[in-house]
Amino acid sequence: MSAVRWGMLSTAGIGRVAAAAMASSPHAELVAVGGRDAGRARRYADEIGIPTSFGSYEELLACDDVEAVYIPVPISMHTEWTVKALEAGKHVLCEKPFAVTAADAERCFDAADAADRLCIEGLMYRHHPQTQLVQRLIADGAIGRLAHVRAALTVSVEPGDIRRTTSLGGGASLDLGCYCVSAIRLLAGHPTRVHAARVRDTAPGAEGGDLRLAATLEMPDDVLAQLDVALDFPRRDELEVIGTKGKITVPDPWLCRPGYIELEVDGHTRRLDVDPENKYALTHAEDPENTDAYRIEFDAASHAIRHGETPLFGRADAIDQAAVVDAVRQAAELGRPVTPAPSVADPALTARS
């Protein structure tokens, strides 16, 4: 198939990773970048090696050469610019978290339906063979009956960083918790009840947002899940899946770099290659910026766009994801358990009262 021509809305740092990912993809070509300043956008475009730059987001959306748009703007701007891009006739891959509320997610997909364009939430790790292997092992009963999922993602960023600026959508639960929630949902379904507690961020600009948050989620079939996120801890990337007969440990669940996961059954631990046939040509530890996972994500999005196929994760998944993240935040804010909105993806997973 011919490569899908992508434009990038923003000169954000993550765009450099996306640009490198598309440069190594036969299915996605980054042809333009749009920023809020023409000079900065041109320098950014020169740095990442793309031919065209624009001094406004609107100019990029008006470019006929751009078929699809990658949106890594601040979280608070995701819905606005996703809708504008769709209304301009572009397909959209928007960085995580796709939307702050389920209503915002619905608004984006309504715009996608009206424009007859695809809209995709950018949680890149879900497309990686590492994640797919974990799903297969659970489905095949390799660890017995699923009983517990534990996920963590913590980083250390200075006060004033965008991730600690509430007006831009900062806060640990949105910026980091979306990964943990998405993994729990992917492996265990839609939660029936959420418990959470948080430590407020007192830094200027944080406006009392969540600096740290921990949550317990009650899942279908008596599965429990726990997550913790923080913006002032050492870096931690953790995912552990426990069954009645064993457990799976994913040493790098979000960046997917080592190339293996660990399966422990009856006290014996094995390392399993996530791509034994080299189907995905993974670079593993040679890829510190994680372009592999982004490349695979852009390949999947481009394939769906070019062939008019439904993305692996679409409308229902994005709405459920936003609803559960919102429930986690509400539980922490209210200091009591919260029942998430019923799943729109699968009526069998609707929340119990």
Side-chain angles (χ1 to χ4, degrees):
M1 74 178 205
S2 60
V4 172
R5 299 184 304 278
W6 289 83
M8 182 157 58
L9 210 68
S10 170
T11 54
I14 190 62
R16 295 178 175 85
V17 179
M22 282 188 267
S24 62
S25 168
H27 306 303
E29 179 185 6
L30 183 58
V31 298
V33 62
R36 293 191 175 276
D37 175 84
R40 181 178 177 183
R42 184 63 260 163
R43 291 190 296 273
Y44 187 90
D46 289 340
E47 177 187 340
I48 62 177
I50 59 175
T52 305
S53 65
F54 297 99
S56 72
Y57 296 162
E58 291 85 354
E59 287 180 90
L60 184 140
L61 295 182
C63 177
D64 291 336
D65 194 42
V66 172
E67 297 178 86
V69 177
Y70 170 60
I71 301 181
V73 297
I75 294 168
S76 62
M77 300 164 63
H78 282 185
T79 297
E80 174 190 359
W81 286 102
T82 292
V83 170
K84 286 182 177 180
L86 291 164
E87 291 176 342
K90 312 301 183 186
H91 302 281
V92 170
L93 172 61
C94 181
E95 262 302 334
K96 58 76 192 170
F98 177 76
V100 176
T101 67
D104 282 346
E106 288 190 80
R107 180 183 164 201
C108 291
F109 279 93
D110 287 345
D113 290 344
D116 193 25
R117 292 294 182 267
L118 295 186
C119 187
I120 303 168
E121 179 173 19
L123 281 158
M124 74 295 178
Y125 81 94
R126 296 190 296 184
H127 300 274
H128 198 280
Q130 171 175 285
T131 306
Q132 295 170 3
L133 176 57
V134 174
Q135 289 179 277
R136 288 198 304 273
L137 289 171
I138 295 171
D140 292 344
I143 56 171
R145 180 178 58 80
L146 179 65
H148 191 89
V149 181
R150 186 186 64 81
L153 176 54
T154 63
V155 297
S156 180
V157 297
E158 295 297 322
D161 186 279
I162 187 173
R163 287 169 287 185
R164 293 179 65 175
T165 304
T166 298
S167 63
L168 296 177
S173 60
L174 277 178
D175 188 72
L176 307 177
C178 60
Y179 280 107
C180 299
V181 166
S182 69
I184 289 168
R185 291 181 49 252
L186 186 65
L187 303 178
H190 194 75
T192 58
R193 202 165 181 81
V194 174
H195 313 250
R198 69 178 179 178
V199 173
R200 292 183 180 272
D201 194 342
T202 59
E207 301 174 8
D210 45 10
L211 179 65
R212 308 169 202 143
L213 182 144
T216 298
L217 289 73
E218 300 176 40
M219 312 300 292
D221 301 320
D222 295 326
V223 175
L224 292 177
Q226 292 178 305
L227 68 88
D228 75 273
V229 291
L231 289 165
D232 66 337
F233 281 7
R235 180 80 194 213
R236 294 165 56 238
D237 302 75
E238 300 173 1
L239 179 62
E240 187 177 48
V241 187
I242 303 169
T244 55
K245 296 182 179 178
K247 71 175 181 178
I248 301 166
T249 302
V250 187
D252 193 16
W254 324 121
L255 299 181
C256 309
R257 293 169 296 188
Y260 68 87
I261 63 173
E262 295 180 346
L263 173 64
E264 180 180 334
V265 179
D266 296 329
H268 300 286
T269 301
R270 290 188 293 148
R271 285 189 174 184
L272 304 181
D273 191 329
V274 304
D275 186 26
E277 298 178 357
N278 200 33
K279 176 181 176 181
Y280 292 91
L282 302 178
T283 58
H284 304 318
E286 300 170 13
D287 181 25
E289 295 298 330
N290 185 36
T291 54
D292 273 343
Y294 283 94
R295 168 177 55 83
I296 294 167
E297 178 186 49
F298 277 108
D299 282 347
S302 298
H303 186 275
I305 289 168
R306 185 60 77 230
H307 295 280
E309 297 178 355
T310 301
L312 184 61
F313 302 98
R315 179 188 185 105
D317 179 80
I319 292 171
D320 280 356
Q321 170 74 3
V324 176
V325 172
D326 191 40
V328 169
R329 298 172 71 209
Q330 286 185 41
E333 175 70 24
L334 298 173
R336 59 174 173 78
V338 167
T339 300
S343 170
V344 299
D346 184 352
L349 299 179
T350 53
R352 295 188 292 266
S353 60

